[in-house]
């Protein structure tokens, strides 16, 4: 069964601090994604990757960096965290199927920036 | 503004009843997906319907797609308490199929 694991599950950070959210997938999928979820906005794409060593900007990349050191791991980095980045973050992996792609999501990381 | 939008924002039904959630979207699409998110979990896909399909079923779930009106619906028959969740539609296009655009979701509560 597809498996995407995120850590930590909860994180409290201070304004201006550095935060790293981690994601590991055992699906052997090439594509991985970082979304954030806020009330009233649904899920919005921050960064994504097509494979190890690649990262691409999504729809709301400002204030975030991403790193894909291997097929299995994809990190989201907040170099200077701000209260507006308080949110729930979801990582997903995708296996490219015929003409469409199903995403498999992790359980999320709840980040609070004080 | 969002590229996909579900309505209503929230609804409740009694167990055993049927329910329909609607979705409207604003761009041309390759496929539309319905996801369900239970409290404390990540979204999980329910149905993927491609732009050349008009209807797709998955057990008690039935999705329709009308590309001319840029709308979709998800119907659940014989609802159960475990169907309580937020339901999202998500659209994808072309080579960036995983770059899904999600709506804000419909909160469904199934009353025992």
């Amino acid at each position: 069964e597809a498996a995407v694991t995120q850590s930590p599950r909860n994180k409290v950070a201070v304004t201006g601090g550095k935060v790293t959210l981690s994601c590991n997938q055992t699906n052997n999928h090439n594509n991985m994604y970082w979304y954030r979820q806020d009330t009233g906005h649904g899920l919005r794409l921050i960064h994504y990757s097509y494979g190890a060593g690649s990262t691409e900007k999504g729809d709301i990349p400002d204030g975030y960096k991403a790193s894909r050191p291997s097929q299995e791991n994809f990190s989201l980095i907040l170099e200077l965290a701000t209260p507006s980045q308080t949110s729930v973050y979801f990582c997903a992996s995708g296996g490219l199927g015929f003409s469409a792609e199903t995403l498999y999501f992790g359980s999320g990381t709840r980040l609070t920036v004080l | 503004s969002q590229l996909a939008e579900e309505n209503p924002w929230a609804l409740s039904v009694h167990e055993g009843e049927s329910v329909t959630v609607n979705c409207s979207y604003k761009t041309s699409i390759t496929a539309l997906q319905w996801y369900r998110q239970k409290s404390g979990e990540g979204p999980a896909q329910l149905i993927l319907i491609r732009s050349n399909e008009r209807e797709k079923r998955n057990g008690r779930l039935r999705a329709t797609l009308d590309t001319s009106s840029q709308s979709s619906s998800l119907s659940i028959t014989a609802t159960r308490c475990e169907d309580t969740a937020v339901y999202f539609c998500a659209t994808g296009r072309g080579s960036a199929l995983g770059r899904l655009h999600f709506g804000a979701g419909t909160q469904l509560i199934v009353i025992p």
Side-chain angles (χ1 to χ4, degrees):
Chain A
E1 184 175 325
V4 179
T5 304
Q6 295 183 233
S7 63
R9 192 66 195 268
N10 294 282
K11 173 74 176 178
V12 178
V14 296
T15 297
K18 181 177 181 177
V19 177
T20 300
L21 308 183
S22 300
C23 178
N24 175 275
Q25 57 108 352
T26 58
N27 307 323
N28 199 31
H29 288 157
N30 288 331
N31 303 335
M32 295 186 74
Y33 306 84
W34 277 106
Y35 285 85
R36 64 177 282 178
Q37 184 174 36
D38 304 287
T39 303
H41 286 281
L43 288 95
R44 292 179 289 173
L45 181 64
I46 306 169
H47 283 289
Y48 61 102
S49 168
Y50 290 130
S54 91
T55 60
E56 305 288 341
K57 293 180 179 180
D59 298 321
I60 54 166
D62 293 346
Y64 302 94
K65 290 173 57 179
S67 173
R68 182 87 181 272
S70 65
Q71 177 84 339
E72 297 79 17
N73 296 295
F74 190 37
S75 297
L76 185 68
I77 303 155
L78 291 66
E79 295 277 6
L80 295 170
T82 69
S84 64
Q85 294 175 313
T86 293
S87 186
V88 181
Y89 292 85
F90 288 96
C91 174
S93 74
L96 187 62
F98 175 71
S99 78
E101 178 158 289
T102 296
L103 297 190
Y104 297 88
F105 285 85
S107 297
T109 294
R110 182 175 296 275
L111 173 65
T112 302
V113 182
L114 302 176
Chain B
S1 62
Q2 295 184 171
L3 297 179
E5 184 174 352
E6 301 86 353
N7 71 83
W9 180 73
L11 74 167
S12 61
V13 297
H14 287 93
E15 199 170 21
E17 295 179 338
S18 296
V19 66
T20 297
V21 178
N22 299 298
C23 170
S24 60
Y25 59 91
K26 296 182 178 179
T27 64
S28 63
I29 63 171
T30 301
L32 184 144
Q33 303 184 38
W34 284 95
Y35 284 79
R36 175 175 65 191
Q37 184 178 27
K38 296 186 176 182
S39 181
E41 301 179 3
Q45 189 201 66
L46 298 174
I47 290 181
L48 185 154
I49 184 166
R50 300 184 177 91
S51 57
N52 63 350
E53 299 175 312
R54 291 297 170 258
E55 179 181 305
K56 199 81 170 283
R57 291 178 183 268
N58 180 9
R60 296 182 292 111
L61 308 176
R62 173 178 172 263
T64 64
L65 180 64
D66 184 341
T67 53
S68 63
S69 63
Q70 296 188 311
S71 64
S72 175
S73 69
L74 175 70
S75 297
I76 308 173
T77 58
T79 53
R80 304 168 181 168
C81 289
E82 54 262 38
D83 293 327
T84 293
V86 179
Y87 291 79
F88 296 95
C89 64
T91 57
R93 181 175 59 176
S95 61
L97 294 167
R99 294 189 59 177
L100 297 179
H101 292 106
F102 286 80
T106 291
Q107 172 69 64
L108 170 65
I109 296 174
V110 180
I111 304 165

